[in-house]
Amino acid sequence: GTFFPEVYLRALASTGIRKPKKGLLFSSGSKDQKLKFVEVAGSLKNLNVPIYATEGSADHLKELGVDCFKIAQKEIDRNFLINLFQQKKIDLVINIPKSKQDVEKFNNRKIRELASSTQCSLITDTEKSVEFLRSLQLLNQNSSEVKALHLL
């Protein structure tokens, strides 16, 4: 039968958001927001794609045992990040705003502009991001059903 994770992933798929197949850019916001991702760290591990993360997010993911590539603040405004998008190495961005500081606002805007200009899926809300990853985790437990649904 149909249950919430399936319905949620179908709804997101209708807007173009699917499980990443190439790579994920992860920027999880403030410390409080980062803590909300603890319960879905296993889902991040099971994505089986490279995960690129901003500095604080990368440190947090590594503490949770999730391998990722750390993107330094200075690289956000340089060609490294632009190249990741242009070379289609990222197909999903989770970008949660951290603060209203000028540098943070600039970095978030830059990441979102790159995602938009390269038609990359983008999630900007903590709860929606966590639910997306939780749903992937729950449905992965029954992967034959998920593959039949073409959600992953």
Side-chain angles (χ1 to χ4, degrees):
T2 303
F3 66 117
F4 183 77
E6 177 186 330
V7 172
Y8 190 71
L9 290 176
R10 283 181 186 265
L12 288 177
S14 73
T15 66
I17 296 174
R18 296 180 184 272
K19 178 182 176 186
K21 293 184 176 9
K22 298 176 184 176
L24 167 69
L25 175 60
F26 188 75
S27 179
S28 57
S30 69
K31 187 162 186 83
D32 288 343
Q33 291 164 316
K34 284 175 179 42
L35 292 175
K36 293 179 182 180
F37 286 94
V38 169
E39 68 179 275
V40 292
S43 181
L44 287 167
K45 289 181 192 179
N46 293 333
L47 289 176
N48 296 321
V49 298
I51 298 173
Y52 304 90
T54 54
E55 287 182 86
S57 297
D59 293 342
H60 184 68
L61 289 177
K62 288 179 181 181
E63 287 174 14
L64 298 173
V66 178
D67 290 330
C68 63
F69 299 97
K70 185 188 285 194
I71 300 175
Q73 290 288 5
K74 63 184 178 187
E75 293 172 328
I76 290 176
D77 193 34
R78 295 214 178 135
N79 289 337
F80 177 77
L81 189 61
I82 293 168
N83 289 337
L84 285 176
F85 280 98
Q86 289 178 340
Q87 295 169 9
K88 304 288 185 192
K89 291 187 176 184
I90 297 172
D91 54 352
L92 176 64
V93 174
I94 294 177
N95 179 238
I96 311 302
K98 181 175 172 179
S99 69
K100 303 223 185 273
Q101 294 176 346
D102 288 340
V103 172
E104 287 294 328
K105 285 192 331 191
F106 173 81
N107 290 343
N108 285 325
R109 188 176 74 237
K110 184 76 170 176
I111 289 169
R112 291 172 188 204
E113 285 173 358
L114 285 167
S116 176
S117 69
T118 57
Q119 298 164 354
C120 182
S121 297
L122 173 66
I123 304 175
T124 60
D125 180 83
T126 305
E127 286 73 22
K128 288 181 176 83
S129 301
V130 169
E131 192 55 52
F132 173 72
L133 294 168
R134 182 184 299 120
S135 294
L136 289 176
Q137 193 170 3
L138 290 170
L139 285 180
N140 267 341
Q141 295 169 0
N142 191 354
S143 63
S144 60
E145 180 181 323
V146 173
K147 287 177 183 169
L149 297 170
H150 305 289
L151 295 174
L152 302 177

